[in-house]
Amino acid sequence: MTRRLLCLALIALGSAFAAFLARPVQTAEPQAATFPAFQMKEIDKSLSVGHAVLLVDLNNDGKKDIVVVDTKRVVWYENPTWKMRTIIEGQTKPDNVCIAAYDIDGDGQLDLALGADWRRSTSRGLSTRSPRSRRCTAFASPTSTDRAKRSFWSAR
């Protein structure tokens, strides 16, 4: 009886060891990822400068939209149709130069902070920003249908 149990145990152990040896070997090096293919698509010719670009999901549809800061306006192109929508135009002093997206007010929708009122001044031949010309404009939920949530405020 003991021999039978020992033989069965050895057979089971041998089967487990064979299964272990038959499994695929994993290497330490990850496989090289294939580089994605891109296709150029011109979506707008009306931009004057296009100082800054963000890829963010403004309308919460799970697709990255394109937000562009132009000299006197901020626009976004809705993915996948790339329809241009104006967020703000002519309400800040030129130039609008930079933008950041974050849920500032904690309502679950992205808000935008815009750097505007930038002017060049020449100092010893270098182009610099004048300390008096920095301004931050924040937009609360630019895609909201609630007019109060689309408001903006400025601070120096």
Side-chain angles (χ1 to χ4, degrees), residues 107-125:
D107 66 353
Q109 295 182 341
L110 280 179
D111 305 309
L112 300 174
L114 173 69
D117 194 13
W118 182 85
R119 287 174 264 157
R120 292 179 184 262
S121 64
T122 305
S123 173
R124 296 183 193 155

Side-chain angles (χ1 to χ4, degrees), residues 58-154:
L58 276 185
N59 56 355
N60 294 321
D61 65 354
K63 299 173 186 165
K64 299 282 186 185
D65 304 304
I66 302 172
V67 178
V68 180
V69 174
D70 205 10
T71 305
K72 298 178 182 177
R73 63 185 175 155
V74 177
V75 295
W76 69 287
Y77 301 93
E78 187 177 4
N79 188 356
T81 63
W82 307 120
K83 179 179 178 179
M84 184 182 78
R85 300 176 187 276
T86 301
I87 297 172
I88 187 173
E89 184 170 13
Q91 297 183 41
T92 59
K93 292 182 181 179
D95 279 352
N96 299 326
V97 291
C98 58
I99 195 164
Y102 186 75
D103 183 10
I104 297 169
D105 56 5
D107 66 353
Q109 295 182 341
L110 280 179
D111 305 309
L112 300 174
L114 173 69
D117 194 13
W118 182 85
R119 287 174 264 157
R120 292 179 184 262
S121 64
T122 305
S123 173
R124 296 183 193 155
L126 299 174
S127 176
T128 61
R129 279 183 267 172
S130 168
R132 297 181 315 145
S133 67
R134 289 186 223 134
R135 178 182 297 270
C136 179
T137 303
F139 302 91
S141 306
T143 59
S144 176
T145 56
D146 181 358
R147 188 173 177 88
K149 287 193 174 212
R150 285 186 291 140
S151 62
F152 70 97
W153 62 93
S154 296

